[in-house]
Amino acid sequence: MTAERFDKPFTQQEPIPEAGIEAALGVLRHGRLHRYNTLGDEVGEVAALEVEFAAFTGARYCLAVASGGYALGCALRALGIGPGDRVLTNGFTLAPVPGAIASVGAVPVFVEVDEGLAIDLDDLAAKAGQGAKALMLSHMRGHICDMDRLMAICNGASLPVIEDCAHTMGGAWAGVPSGRHGVMGCYSTQTYKHLNSGEGGLIVSDDADLMARAILLSGSYMLYPRHRAAPPPEAFEAARWVTPNVSGRMDNLRAAILRPQLADMPAQIARWNRLYRRIEAGLAETPGLRLVSRPDKESIVGSSFQFLLPGWRADAVQALVARCQGRGVELKWFGAAEPVAFTSRHDSWRYAPPQSLPETDRILAGLIDMRLPLTFDEADAALIARIIRAEAEVLFQGGVA
Ligand SMILES: *Cc1c(COP(=O)(O)O)cnc(C)c1O
């Protein structure tokens, strides 16, 4: 019997829904792409998106911006974080997170990851009292930590929490949407995330002062009364004189593409989770391979899948990645010494002071990651799991430690 192969690309998203294409054409035809270019009482696509995303998350206020990374930097600036300030963040995340901290001249201080791939709350508790100005919490790869305990630790240390929800848009902890636990929640609408406008970002908050500053920072000039999910004009009174314009607005074309996708999110989440659970079931009890358990309080969006190869030698992990690649299954390894494509780790971010993270290093050494685009179906997910399982069994029986 010839070995099964998988032949779909792991980076192919679904097309933009027809309603999004139609709305985009409407914007192109009237030509008013700038968010503040509106006629009379017209509510532009960006302002409408902000209202809809605020409702989706249950937030009082929402601001759409140019990218997820911009959203993170904007949140830090709105909080008044600046040069030399220490900002805690996950030791396991993607480059835009420490990058946003460095963009305001602040210093990233990394917190260890735990076996659930979430932030290690004991390490956070130890580091929270050491003079940091904020926690930028990355729900990396969709893994949400015990948010009740995290907020107790951070509130106890008067540490404001900015949530990086690039991988948890639509997820929740104990029924509270991801992005709604901290003072600000930041999301990305870049192509590989849960909504796709090529590039884009969103910020939500209930804090009127912070949101007024974020809106001014994003480049609203004095046109903020045209927003529909913003604090009242009084909230801008003091800030409008002293808040620099760091332009990073979203435009009406992207917002037009996003609105129909947002309306589809609940159905898309259900599809992602069916793929995720198929892979999980297909890999259960594979010798040498450990699955990441998902807490009952966590509502997941299974847009990617992770598993651990505890104690495997580096060459054995690389062999698994290569053998799966040979059968069309694209795995990413977070333990590689050199940053590759989107994947890098804390010791690759050399603008930050070097830090000792033994737990994170140990876990990342055996961490495998895989995207699950919605162009895959459940039969694809089952096939992918069979391929990984077969290759892991061959290597494990041959000795990997
Ligand atoms: C993609 C991503 C971001 C930044 O989003 P962009 O829109 O690409 O700037 C931030 N954090 C994480 C974890 C991401 O994966």
Side-chain angles (χ1 to χ4, degrees):
M1 194 186 99
T2 55
E4 291 182 296
R5 267 192 64 88
F6 184 65
D7 59 11
K8 290 187 185 173
F10 279 70
T11 49
Q12 178 61 56
Q13 311 306 316
E14 289 189 293
I16 301 302
E18 282 305 320
I21 295 172
E22 280 303 311
L25 288 173
V27 172
L28 291 174
R29 289 194 174 109
H30 67 53
R32 295 187 295 281
L33 273 74
H34 192 285
R35 67 166 297 164
Y36 300 118
N37 186 358
T38 50
L39 292 180
D41 293 339
E42 181 188 7
V43 177
E45 294 282 348
V46 179
L49 172 68
E50 288 166 344
V51 170
E52 290 158 6
F53 196 74
F56 178 73
T57 55
R60 206 171 285 162
Y61 312 121
C62 176
L63 171 67
V65 293
S67 74
Y70 182 89
L72 296 171
C74 183
L76 289 167
R77 284 192 179 88
L79 273 166
I81 309 271
D85 289 341
R86 292 156 59 84
V87 176
L88 299 177
T89 193
N90 305 53
F92 168 49
T93 185
L94 284 193
V97 178
I101 296 169
S103 79
V104 299
V107 181
V109 176
F110 299 116
V111 181
E112 298 263 35
V113 68
D114 68 14
E115 299 277 346
L117 303 185
I119 196 165
D120 182 315
L121 294 176
D122 294 331
D123 195 39
L124 176 66
K127 289 172 176 164
Q130 296 176 1
K133 289 282 171 63
L135 167 66
M136 181 162 275
L137 174 65
S138 185
H139 302 293
M140 181 60 176
R141 282 298 182 244
H143 297 274
I144 303 178
C145 71
D146 177 342
M147 288 303 296
D148 304 319
R149 191 174 161 218
L150 178 130
M151 289 311 300
I153 292 168
C154 292
N155 289 339
S158 301
L159 200 62
V161 178
I162 299 167
E163 291 181 71
D164 164 29
C165 306
H167 302 166
T168 52
M169 182 190 286
W173 178 264
V176 178
S178 186
R180 300 289 295 125
H181 299 262
V183 287
M184 291 192 124
C186 300
Y187 307 79
S188 169
T189 63
Q190 186 240 77
T191 292
Y192 300 110
K193 314 298 166 98
H194 299 170
L195 298 177
N196 174 12
S197 58
E199 305 287 353
L202 292 153
I203 307 176
V204 298
S205 183
D206 284 350
D207 186 309
D209 292 334
L210 277 179
M211 194 47 106
R213 284 201 289 278
I215 289 170
L216 290 163
L217 281 161
S218 77
S220 68
Y221 303 90
M222 297 301 139
L223 299 167
Y224 48 80
R226 294 192 195 171
H227 285 240
R228 289 291 180 280
E234 309 84 83
F236 293 79
E237 228 3 87
R240 70 192 182 116
W241 301 101
V242 294
T243 306
N245 177 324
V246 186
S247 280
R249 293 172 302 272
M250 183 178 278
D251 59 82
N252 285 329
L253 188 56
R254 293 187 208 181
I257 292 171
L258 289 170
R259 293 178 60 206
Q261 295 179 54
L262 180 59
D264 282 347
M265 269 285 270
Q268 301 291 76
I269 291 170
R271 291 175 61 205
W272 260 309
N273 290 350
R274 284 196 291 272
L275 298 181
Y276 184 98
R277 296 301 180 191
R278 264 299 181 102
I279 302 259
E280 188 177 50
L283 291 180
E285 278 149 51
T286 303
L289 186 152
R290 191 192 305 153
L291 299 182
V292 180
S293 63
R294 310 302 302 247
D296 289 341
K297 287 190 176 177
E298 187 190 27
S299 306
I300 72 164
V301 182
S303 56
S304 68
F305 193 92
Q306 293 73 42
F307 60 84
L308 295 161
L309 300 169
W312 284 41
R313 285 190 325 266
D315 64 330
V317 177
Q318 275 165 322
L320 179 66
V321 172
R323 294 177 69 113
C324 289
Q325 183 74 55
R327 294 176 65 179
V329 173
E330 206 176 296
L331 304 179
K332 305 284 181 222
W333 178 38
F334 271 91
E338 294 270 333
V340 181
F342 287 111
T343 310
S344 59
R345 55 176 203 209
H346 68 91
D347 52 354
S348 335
W349 307 322
R350 294 187 189 164
Y351 51 83
Q355 296 168 50
S356 165
L357 297 168
E359 276 302 287
T360 301
D361 293 344
R362 183 179 62 76
I363 290 166
L364 296 192
L367 175 60
I368 299 291
D369 175 62
M370 174 170 63
R371 293 179 202 276
L372 294 176
L374 287 175
T375 45
F376 294 179
D377 60 24
E378 287 180 68
D380 294 333
L383 170 57
I384 289 166
R386 283 199 300 279
I387 290 172
I388 296 172
R389 185 184 193 96
E391 296 300 333
E393 276 170 356
V394 168
L395 286 165
F396 192 71
Q397 277 152 19
V400 293

